[in-house]
Coordinates of all heavy atoms in Angstrom, one line a residue:
Chain A
G273 N -32.2 23.7 -2.7 CA -31.2 23.9 -3.8 C -30.2 25.0 -3.4 O -29.4 25.4 -4.3
K274 N -30.1 25.4 -2.2 CA -29.1 26.4 -1.8 C -27.7 26.0 -2.1 O -26.9 26.7 -2.7 CB -29.2 26.7 -0.3 CG -30.5 27.1 0.3 CD -30.4 27.5 1.7 CE -30.0 26.3 2.6 NZ -31.0 25.2 2.8
T275 N -27.3 24.8 -1.6 CA -26.0 24.3 -1.8 C -25.6 24.1 -3.2 O -24.5 24.4 -3.7 CB -25.8 22.9 -1.0 OG1 -26.1 23.2 0.4 CG2 -24.3 22.4 -1.1
T276 N -26.6 23.6 -4.0 CA -26.4 23.4 -5.4 C -26.1 24.8 -6.1 O -25.2 24.9 -6.9 CB -27.6 22.8 -6.1 OG1 -27.9 21.6 -5.4 CG2 -27.4 22.5 -7.6
L277 N -26.8 25.8 -5.7 CA -26.6 27.1 -6.2 C -25.2 27.7 -5.9 O -24.5 28.2 -6.8 CB -27.7 28.1 -5.7 CG -27.7 29.5 -6.2 CD1 -27.8 29.6 -7.7 CD2 -28.8 30.4 -5.6
I278 N -24.8 27.5 -4.6 CA -23.4 27.9 -4.2 C -22.4 27.1 -5.0 O -21.4 27.7 -5.5 CB -23.3 27.8 -2.7 CG1 -24.1 28.9 -2.1 CG2 -21.8 27.9 -2.3 CD1 -23.8 29.2 -0.6
N279 N -22.6 25.8 -5.1 CA -21.6 25.0 -5.9 C -21.5 25.4 -7.3 O -20.4 25.3 -7.9 CB -22.0 23.5 -5.8 CG -21.7 22.9 -4.4 OD1 -21.0 23.5 -3.6 ND2 -22.3 21.7 -4.1
I280 N -22.6 25.8 -7.9 CA -22.5 26.3 -9.3 C -21.8 27.6 -9.3 O -20.9 27.9 -10.2 CB -23.9 26.5 -9.9 CG1 -24.5 25.1 -10.2 CG2 -23.9 27.3 -11.2 CD1 -26.0 25.1 -10.6
M281 N -22.0 28.5 -8.4 CA -21.4 29.8 -8.4 C -19.9 29.7 -8.2 O -19.1 30.5 -8.7 CB -22.0 30.8 -7.3 CG -23.4 31.2 -7.7 SD -24.1 32.5 -6.7 CE -24.6 31.6 -5.2
T282 N -19.5 28.7 -7.4 CA -18.0 28.5 -7.1 C -17.4 27.6 -8.1 O -16.2 27.3 -7.9 CB -17.9 27.9 -5.6 OG1 -18.7 26.7 -5.6 CG2 -18.3 28.9 -4.6
G283 N -18.1 27.1 -9.1 CA -17.5 26.3 -10.1 C -17.3 24.8 -9.8 O -16.7 24.1 -10.5
L284 N -17.9 24.4 -8.6 CA -17.8 23.0 -8.3 C -18.8 22.2 -9.1 O -18.5 21.0 -9.3 CB -18.2 22.8 -6.8 CG -17.1 23.4 -5.8 CD1 -17.6 23.4 -4.4 CD2 -15.8 22.5 -5.9
L285 N -19.8 22.8 -9.6 CA -20.8 22.0 -10.5 C -20.8 22.8 -11.8 O -20.8 24.0 -11.8 CB -22.2 22.0 -9.9 CG -22.4 21.0 -8.7 CD1 -23.8 21.2 -8.2 CD2 -22.2 19.6 -9.2
S286 N -20.9 22.0 -12.9 CA -21.0 22.7 -14.2 C -22.5 22.7 -14.6 O -23.2 21.8 -14.4 CB -20.3 21.8 -15.2 OG -18.9 21.8 -14.9
Y287 N -22.9 23.9 -15.1 CA -24.2 24.1 -15.6 C -24.3 24.2 -17.1 O -23.3 24.5 -17.7 CB -24.8 25.3 -14.9 CG -24.0 26.6 -15.2 CD1 -24.3 27.4 -16.3 CD2 -22.9 26.9 -14.4 CE1 -23.6 28.5 -16.6 CE2 -22.2 28.0 -14.7 CZ -22.5 28.8 -15.8 OH -21.7 29.9 -16.0
T288 N -25.4 23.9 -17.6 CA -25.5 24.0 -19.1 C -26.6 25.0 -19.5 O -26.5 25.6 -20.5 CB -25.9 22.6 -19.7 OG1 -26.9 22.0 -19.0 CG2 -24.6 21.7 -19.7
G289 N -27.7 25.1 -18.6 CA -28.8 26.0 -19.0 C -28.6 27.3 -18.2 O -28.5 27.3 -17.0
G290 N -28.6 28.4 -18.9 CA -28.6 29.7 -18.3 C -27.2 30.3 -18.2 O -26.3 29.8 -18.8
S291 N -27.1 31.4 -17.4 CA -25.8 32.1 -17.3 C -25.5 32.5 -15.9 O -26.4 32.9 -15.1 CB -25.9 33.4 -18.2 OG -24.9 34.3 -17.9
V292 N -24.2 32.3 -15.5 CA -23.8 32.7 -14.1 C -22.5 33.5 -14.3 O -21.5 33.0 -14.8 CB -23.5 31.4 -13.3 CG1 -23.0 31.8 -11.9 CG2 -24.7 30.5 -13.2
K293 N -22.6 34.7 -13.9 CA -21.4 35.6 -14.1 C -20.9 36.1 -12.7 O -21.8 36.5 -11.9 CB -21.7 36.8 -15.0 CG -21.9 36.4 -16.4 CD -22.2 37.6 -17.2 CE -22.4 37.3 -18.7 NZ -23.0 38.4 -19.5
I294 N -19.6 36.1 -12.5 CA -19.0 36.6 -11.3 C -18.2 37.8 -11.7 O -17.3 37.7 -12.6 CB -18.1 35.6 -10.6 CG1 -18.9 34.3 -10.2 CG2 -17.4 36.2 -9.4 CD1 -19.8 34.4 -9.1
F295 N -18.6 39.0 -11.3 CA -17.9 40.3 -11.7 C -17.9 40.3 -13.2 O -16.8 40.6 -13.8 CB -16.6 40.4 -11.0 CG -16.7 40.6 -9.6 CD1 -16.3 39.6 -8.7 CD2 -17.1 41.8 -9.0 CE1 -16.4 39.8 -7.3 CE2 -17.2 42.0 -7.6 CZ -16.9 41.0 -6.8
G296 N -18.9 39.9 -13.9 CA -19.1 40.0 -15.3 C -18.4 38.9 -16.1 O -18.5 38.9 -17.3
K297 N -17.8 37.9 -15.4 CA -17.2 36.8 -16.1 C -18.0 35.5 -16.0 O -18.3 35.1 -14.9 CB -15.7 36.6 -15.6 CG -14.8 37.7 -15.9 CD -13.4 37.3 -15.3 CE -12.4 38.4 -15.7 NZ -11.1 38.2 -15.1
E298 N -18.3 34.9 -17.1 CA -19.0 33.7 -17.1 C -18.2 32.6 -16.4 O -17.0 32.4 -16.8 CB -19.3 33.3 -18.6 CG -20.3 32.2 -18.7 CD -21.8 32.6 -18.4 OE1 -22.2 33.6 -18.8 OE2 -22.4 31.8 -17.6
V299 N -18.8 31.9 -15.4 CA -18.0 31.0 -14.6 C -17.4 29.9 -15.4 O -16.2 29.6 -15.3 CB -18.9 30.5 -13.4 CG1 -18.2 29.4 -12.7 CG2 -19.3 31.6 -12.5
T300 N -18.2 29.2 -16.2 CA -17.7 28.0 -17.0 C -16.6 28.4 -17.9 O -15.7 27.6 -18.1 CB -18.9 27.3 -17.7 OG1 -19.6 28.3 -18.4 CG2 -19.7 26.5 -16.9
A301 N -16.7 29.6 -18.5 CA -15.7 29.9 -19.5 C -14.4 30.5 -18.9 O -13.4 30.6 -19.6 CB -16.3 30.9 -20.5
N302 N -14.5 31.0 -17.7 CA -13.3 31.7 -17.1 C -13.0 31.1 -15.7 O -12.8 31.9 -14.8 CB -13.6 33.2 -17.0 CG -14.0 33.8 -18.3 OD1 -13.2 34.1 -19.1 ND2 -15.3 34.0 -18.4
R303 N -12.9 29.8 -15.6 CA -12.8 29.2 -14.3 C -11.7 29.7 -13.5 O -11.8 30.1 -12.3 CB -12.6 27.7 -14.4 CG -13.9 27.0 -14.7 CD -13.8 25.5 -14.7 NE -15.0 24.8 -15.2 CZ -16.0 24.6 -14.5 NH1 -16.1 24.9 -13.2 NH2 -17.1 24.0 -15.0
K304 N -10.4 29.8 -14.1 CA -9.3 30.1 -13.3 C -9.3 31.6 -12.8 O -9.1 31.9 -11.6 CB -8.0 29.9 -14.1 CG -6.8 29.9 -13.2 CD -5.5 29.6 -13.9 CE -4.3 29.7 -13.0 NZ -3.1 29.6 -13.6
S305 N -9.7 32.5 -13.7 CA -9.7 33.9 -13.3 C -10.9 34.2 -12.4 O -10.7 35.0 -11.5 CB -9.8 34.8 -14.6 OG -11.0 34.5 -15.3
V306 N -12.0 33.5 -12.6 CA -13.1 33.7 -11.6 C -12.8 33.2 -10.2 O -13.1 33.9 -9.2 CB -14.4 33.0 -12.2 CG1 -15.4 32.8 -11.1 CG2 -15.0 33.7 -13.4
K307 N -12.1 32.1 -10.2 CA -11.7 31.5 -8.9 C -10.8 32.4 -8.0 O -10.8 32.4 -6.8 CB -11.0 30.2 -9.1 CG -12.0 29.0 -9.4 CD -11.2 27.8 -9.6 CE -12.2 26.6 -10.0 NZ -11.5 25.4 -10.3
S308 N -10.0 33.3 -8.7 CA -9.2 34.2 -7.9 C -10.0 35.4 -7.4 O -9.5 36.1 -6.5 CB -8.0 34.6 -8.8 OG -8.5 35.3 -9.9
L309 N -11.2 35.5 -7.8 CA -12.0 36.6 -7.3 C -12.8 36.4 -6.1 O -13.3 37.3 -5.4 CB -13.0 37.1 -8.4 CG -12.4 37.5 -9.8 CD1 -13.5 37.7 -10.8 CD2 -11.7 38.9 -9.5
F310 N -13.0 35.1 -5.8 CA -13.8 34.8 -4.6 C -13.1 33.9 -3.6 O -12.1 33.2 -3.9 CB -15.2 34.2 -5.0 CG -15.1 32.8 -5.6 CD1 -15.0 31.7 -4.8 CD2 -15.2 32.6 -7.0 CE1 -14.9 30.4 -5.3 CE2 -15.1 31.4 -7.5 CZ -15.0 30.2 -6.7
G311 N -13.7 33.9 -2.4 CA -13.2 32.9 -1.4 C -14.4 32.1 -1.0 O -15.6 32.5 -1.2
F312 N -14.2 30.9 -0.4 CA -15.3 30.0 -0.1 C -15.0 29.4 1.3 O -14.0 28.8 1.6 CB -15.4 28.9 -1.2 CG -16.4 27.9 -1.0 CD1 -17.7 28.2 -0.5 CD2 -16.2 26.5 -1.2 CE1 -18.7 27.3 -0.3 CE2 -17.2 25.6 -1.0 CZ -18.4 26.0 -0.6
V313 N -16.1 29.6 2.1 CA -16.0 28.9 3.5 C -17.0 27.8 3.5 O -18.2 28.0 3.7 CB -16.4 30.0 4.6 CG1 -16.2 29.3 6.0 CG2 -15.5 31.2 4.5
P314 N -16.5 26.6 3.3 CA -17.5 25.4 3.2 C -18.0 25.1 4.6 O -17.4 25.5 5.6 CB -16.7 24.3 2.7 CG -15.3 24.8 2.4 CD -15.2 26.1 3.1
Q315 N -19.1 24.4 4.7 CA -19.7 24.1 6.0 C -18.8 23.1 6.7 O -18.7 23.2 7.9 CB -21.1 23.4 5.7 CG -21.8 23.1 7.0 CD -23.2 22.5 6.7 OE1 -23.7 22.6 5.6 NE2 -23.8 21.9 7.7

Side-chain angles (χ1 to χ4, degrees):
Chain A
K274 306 182 296 290
T275 303
T276 303
L277 183 59
I278 287 193
N279 284 348
I280 286 173
M281 290 189 283
T282 53
L284 290 170
L285 284 175
S286 298
Y287 56 93
T288 49
S291 164
V292 180
K293 289 179 180 168
I294 303 285
F295 293 107
K297 291 180 178 177
E298 191 70 44
V299 172
T300 45
N302 305 282
R303 280 184 193 279
K304 196 175 174 188
S305 59
V306 165
K307 282 177 181 179
S308 59
L309 297 172
F310 68 81
F312 179 40
V313 183
Q315 185 177 342

